[in-house]
Amino acid sequence: MKQLIHQFIDQLKQQKYSANSLSNHQRDLKRFEKWLGGSDTKEITLFDLQVLKKTNIEEYLTEMSETMKPRTIARHISTLKLFFDFLESQGHIEHAPTYLIEFPDYQMELPELLSFQEVEALLESPPQSHYLGLRDRSMLELAYSSGLKVNELLNLNVEDLFLDLEFVKIRGKRHRMVPITRKAIEMLHEYLAQARENRLLNKEDPCLFPGRNGTRMSRMGYWAMITKHARRIGITRPINARVIRHSFAAHLIQNGMDLDHVMTLMGYVDMDAMLRYAHINRPDYFEVYLKAHPRGRSRNDQNDPESVE
């Protein structure tokens, strides 16, 4: 099974899955392998996988549900479905035993958000008098400007910027072009002209945002940077790159952008991913809905001659 897992992960790499997703899928499959009885001295064979039934998978998931949250169970199911679909596509098994396995119902966790005023203060926190301040300000402006994931931001190269066209190219499982705000463009021009090149360990390195050591900034380095500036403006609750991304989406929706347009900007392919923002609407959303819907008006309104055209 170890070799099959290795082949499966290699295929996901070719499909441009993120490093975090690859790590999660590999960890989930190792747990499943151990549950099947695999160890350093016992290998789970292809035959062991071929004879698995839906009931075996359900038994595994039932055991996990005793100690894991539904959200984690859902991720394990997703991993197993991908893995057995891979085995079926390669001709290793006839039918995937996970085909009819259903995902558990669970309450979508509402994202942590910053108010617009908090975001504005955070973006203006880094001083622009030295390299680190220019870099930090540019990173924060771009992250909020375009709703980038942390790995998308950190993996950017200079050639991914199309500042004259006001777009940035996001490389990943699905490439996309995302617009950039004028303020972010202004900061990036200043950063590129005054700060980036002199901080690179290797002048040929294409990375857009080097860390203190002159190479591409790490996730931990970015998290520490955000936390530092958040504390500087008085935000004491936990904050990370995801909070900025969610705030980007929430603020666009609050100001009237349609969910499907926000979904495209964020790189989602399924509207279900937008359910976490379902509680966020424009201030006039329900007022417009009630006025427009034929059964939304009150009885008094319906009897009012002026309400009927």
Side-chain angles (χ1 to χ4, degrees), residues 148-186:
L148 305 185
K149 296 177 182 178
V150 60
N151 62 299
E152 292 174 342
L153 182 67
L154 298 180
N155 288 333
L156 284 176
N157 292 329
V158 175
E159 60 264 27
D160 296 325
L161 296 177
F162 296 83
L163 299 184
D164 291 344
L165 299 176
E166 301 182 359
F167 276 91
V168 59
K169 179 180 180 180
I170 306 301
R171 293 172 287 112
K173 184 179 178 181
R174 291 172 292 274
H175 292 352
R176 68 187 194 279
M177 299 293 283
V178 184
I180 314 175
T181 63
R182 298 283 177 84
K183 186 61 179 178
I185 291 172
E186 177 186 317

Side-chain angles (χ1 to χ4, degrees), residues 127-139:
Q128 296 177 233
S129 56
H130 56 79
Y131 156 75
L132 288 177
L134 285 173
R135 183 204 61 187
D136 295 355
R137 179 77 178 268
S138 298
M139 294 186 80

Side-chain angles (χ1 to χ4, degrees), residues 48-63:
D48 294 324
L49 298 176
Q50 290 171 335
V51 298
L52 283 175
K53 306 297 183 185
K54 176 173 177 279
T55 52
N56 300 126
I57 306 297
E58 290 174 333
E59 181 184 354
Y60 170 63
L61 296 172
T62 299
E63 284 191 22

Side-chain angles (χ1 to χ4, degrees), residues 21-283:
S21 293
L22 294 174
S23 176
N24 285 336
H25 289 319
Q26 190 164 32
R27 185 168 58 250
D28 292 347
L29 288 174
K30 285 183 177 179
R31 184 186 182 94
F32 182 59
E33 180 185 24
K34 184 177 180 181
W35 182 83
L36 290 173
S39 65
D40 292 337
T41 57
K42 181 183 177 182
E43 174 71 16
I44 299 301
T45 66
L46 178 57
F47 176 76
D48 294 324
L49 298 176
Q50 290 171 335
V51 298
L52 283 175
K53 306 297 183 185
K54 176 173 177 279
T55 52
N56 300 126
I57 306 297
E58 290 174 333
E59 181 184 354
Y60 170 63
L61 296 172
T62 299
E63 284 191 22
M64 284 206 307
S65 67
E66 296 175 0
T67 57
M68 293 184 178
K69 295 180 180 180
R71 185 182 183 89
T72 306
I73 300 297
R75 194 197 71 213
H76 275 264
I77 293 175
S78 179
T79 296
L80 291 175
K81 282 179 175 288
L82 282 172
F83 179 63
F84 281 103
D85 285 349
F86 163 76
L87 295 181
E88 184 177 332
S89 69
Q90 297 297 309
H92 294 312
I93 61 175
E94 189 172 350
H95 299 294
T98 52
Y99 177 65
L100 294 177
I101 296 292
E102 296 183 354
F103 288 93
D105 293 329
Y106 65 91
Q107 185 74 27
M108 178 72 74
E109 294 181 9
L110 298 181
E112 288 287 337
L113 299 175
L114 296 175
S115 68
F116 177 69
Q117 291 74 20
E118 287 176 322
V119 169
E120 210 169 32
L122 180 64
L123 298 185
E124 294 176 0
S125 173
Q128 296 177 233
S129 56
H130 56 79
Y131 156 75
L132 288 177
L134 285 173
R135 183 204 61 187
D136 295 355
R137 179 77 178 268
S138 298
M139 294 186 80
L140 293 172
E141 286 282 359
L142 184 55
Y144 179 67
S145 156
S146 307
L148 305 185
K149 296 177 182 178
V150 60
N151 62 299
E152 292 174 342
L153 182 67
L154 298 180
N155 288 333
L156 284 176
N157 292 329
V158 175
E159 60 264 27
D160 296 325
L161 296 177
F162 296 83
L163 299 184
D164 291 344
L165 299 176
E166 301 182 359
F167 276 91
V168 59
K169 179 180 180 180
I170 306 301
R171 293 172 287 112
K173 184 179 178 181
R174 291 172 292 274
H175 292 352
R176 68 187 194 279
M177 299 293 283
V178 184
I180 314 175
T181 63
R182 298 283 177 84
K183 186 61 179 178
I185 291 172
E186 177 186 317
M187 285 306 310
L188 284 164
H189 273 304
E190 188 173 352
Y191 164 70
L192 290 171
Q194 300 183 28
R196 174 186 169 270
E197 187 174 344
N198 292 333
R199 298 298 301 189
L200 286 170
L201 183 64
N202 176 4
K203 301 303 181 185
E204 303 302 318
D205 193 334
C207 82
L208 180 58
F209 297 116
R212 288 181 178 273
N213 62 359
T215 60
R216 197 177 297 274
M217 181 185 274
S218 67
R219 293 175 68 97
M220 285 302 296
Y222 183 54
W223 173 82
M225 181 268 282
I226 294 175
T227 301
K228 177 184 70 176
H229 293 302
R231 297 295 180 268
R232 178 177 291 168
I233 63 170
I235 297 177
T236 57
R237 64 187 186 277
I239 182 173
N240 54 36
R242 191 173 299 173
V243 173
I244 297 176
R245 177 170 158 85
H246 288 320
S247 299
F248 155 85
H251 296 166
L252 288 178
I253 294 168
Q254 286 171 338
N255 283 297
M257 180 172 277
D258 292 337
L259 282 175
D260 56 344
H261 292 158
V262 178
M263 180 180 76
T264 300
L265 283 175
M266 299 187 77
Y268 292 139
V269 295
D270 191 335
M271 184 57 82
D272 285 350
M274 300 302 293
L275 290 176
R276 70 189 69 196
Y277 306 110
H279 66 297
I280 301 169
N281 296 292
R282 294 184 325 219

